[in-house]
Amino acid sequence: MRRTAVVWVTVALVATLGASGCAKDSGGSSGGGAPAGAPADCTRNPPPAVGVPAPPPPPPGAGANAGALKVGMAFDVGGRGDASFNDAAAAGLDRSKSQLGVKDTKELTAAIGESQDATQTRLRQLSTGGYNPVIAVGYDYAPGVAAVAASSPTEKFALVDSTVDNNAPNVTPLLFAEEQGSFLVGAAAALKTKTCHIGFVGGVQTPLIQKFEAGFKQGAKAVAPNIKIEISYLSPAGDLSGFNDPAKGQESAKGEMDAGADIVYAAAGASGGGVFRAVKAASTAQSPRWGIGVDSDQYQDKTLADVRDIIMTSMLKRVDVAVYDYISAVAGNKLDTLPKEFDLKVDGVGYATSGGHVDDVRPQLEAYRAAIINGSIKVSATP
């Protein structure tokens, strides 16, 4: 998904929503009170009444010519084609080819259960092959990047989702405020649920994925304090199979819907496809179910075309933006201009509107976005 300016709500519109929300009218998904068909105690709060946030700044080094760069990318488990995290990184690399002139790239992918020696070997293969910079996609690369960067001090490395222990000056962490984007899709879920009961499926139970859980829960409860939220993880910390197990994702989502959830947020990489297929199987005209995607705009993903009609929105983690901006900054020798964290202020996270399924609640979501950007809402990174 290309980087576009967000649509900003006007002060008058937000103020009007705040005033009308205080009246707590019943029914519908855009006013106060309980969502239509939801339990009576599922009262929804009005959205915050806030001003208009400034638009995000332009990407650093925009327009730099990167034709001389050879860019290596080490994907996480699942690689290009996972319809989620890795594909977002791949989109940034592809954009650098079309807009920055990058011609020479090489992509390698991690295997499930591989050793750190194998991780380092992959990174060294890129480095010794003349690829500079090398972009490592995923926190599991942190030890390998630290080791390889230390032995190749003149080469540049980027690490998505983590830092390195030795704070090597040639390593640029690309970090995100996943909890902020997850807050917005949690708010959307609370505004759209008919049962006042939603769910979260995480791939691997790590502090990173718990950021998604934390924001989702906080956003949902900001809207509907009495909402019920199912939480499940597909694998424990250290076992990355939860990011690439659609069958387990399908089973977990079915369990959450059997418990009463009618909207399920999947922060589980390629396993999210299984979550969506469970949602599709359970959804009927009389009792619709919805899935929420992650990282990329999954409604637009061709590999998920068979389930796109139940994808309500996706939490956009703009790894594509970070990868593109990093390559541009390397080409322009402006690495110091990159943000320390890609958050709502820089359009680093957000939510998708494809399919029009959240159009009716978009003004409320934009009000929450503005409140997070101006600091009146603080989003926790831990559940």
Side-chain angles (χ1 to χ4, degrees), residues 34-79:
D41 63 349
C42 192
T43 301
R44 288 175 299 170
N45 294 326
V50 293
V52 180
N65 187 332
L69 295 181
K70 294 178 64 176
V71 181
M73 179 163 284
F75 285 119
D76 202 354
V77 170

Side-chain angles (χ1 to χ4, degrees), residues 226-287:
N226 295 329
I227 197 169
K228 294 181 180 179
I229 307 174
E230 302 291 328
I231 303 293
S232 59
Y233 284 88
L234 303 182
S235 64
D239 177 3
L240 299 184
S241 66
F243 291 134
N244 199 33
D245 194 340
K248 199 167 184 179
Q250 187 166 356
E251 178 185 0
S252 184
K254 183 180 184 301
E256 293 191 353
M257 288 185 292
D258 287 346
D262 64 347
I263 299 175
V264 181
Y265 176 29
S271 300
V275 171
F276 297 144
R277 287 178 176 90
V279 172
K280 174 83 168 181
S283 186
T284 66
Q286 295 74 29
S287 183

Side-chain angles (χ1 to χ4, degrees), residues 32 111 153 159 306 321 333 342 358:
L159 177 58
D306 60 320
V321 170
N333 195 27
F342 288 84
V358 295

Side-chain angles (χ1 to χ4, degrees), residues 138-159:
Y139 61 83
D140 204 47
Y141 277 104
V145 168
V148 177
S151 63
S152 305
T154 62
E155 297 189 28
K156 294 181 175 64
F157 297 81
L159 177 58

Side-chain angles (χ1 to χ4, degrees), residues 142-351:
V145 168
V148 177
S151 63
S152 305
T154 62
E155 297 189 28
K156 294 181 175 64
F157 297 81
L159 177 58
V160 177
D161 279 349
S162 189
T163 59
V164 295
D165 290 339
N166 58 1
N167 293 317
N170 57 333
V171 177
T172 301
L174 301 177
L175 306 175
F176 300 83
E178 294 93 348
E179 69 279 7
Q180 292 183 359
S182 294
F183 181 106
L184 296 178
V185 298
L191 288 163
K192 300 288 287 187
T193 179
K194 301 299 184 183
T195 63
C196 205
H197 197 158
I198 59 178
F200 171 87
V201 176
V204 181
Q205 193 166 12
T206 63
L208 173 64
I209 305 304
Q210 287 176 321
K211 290 174 71 178
F212 294 79
E213 175 196 341
F216 182 68
K217 289 165 65 175
Q218 188 176 340
K221 287 187 174 293
V223 171
N226 295 329
I227 197 169
K228 294 181 180 179
I229 307 174
E230 302 291 328
I231 303 293
S232 59
Y233 284 88
L234 303 182
S235 64
D239 177 3
L240 299 184
S241 66
F243 291 134
N244 199 33
D245 194 340
K248 199 167 184 179
Q250 187 166 356
E251 178 185 0
S252 184
K254 183 180 184 301
E256 293 191 353
M257 288 185 292
D258 287 346
D262 64 347
I263 299 175
V264 181
Y265 176 29
S271 300
V275 171
F276 297 144
R277 287 178 176 90
V279 172
K280 174 83 168 181
S283 186
T284 66
Q286 295 74 29
S287 183
R289 301 287 187 269
W290 294 100
I292 295 176
V294 76
D295 296 334
S296 304
D297 183 355
Q298 296 195 290
Y299 181 93
Q300 299 289 356
D301 195 283
K302 294 179 180 178
T303 67
L304 297 172
D306 60 320
V307 294
R308 67 183 297 184
D309 58 317
I310 57 83
I311 299 178
M312 187 179 81
T313 182
S314 296
M315 195 288 279
L316 300 178
K317 177 176 175 179
R318 303 304 302 273
V319 181
D320 58 330
V321 170
V323 167
Y324 175 86
D325 286 0
Y326 172 74
I327 294 171
S328 182
V330 170
N333 195 27
K334 295 181 179 180
L335 283 175
D336 59 343
T337 65
L338 289 170
K340 299 298 182 185
E341 182 180 61
F342 288 84
D343 58 11
L344 285 176
K345 289 181 180 178
V346 297
D347 201 22
V349 293
Y351 65 96

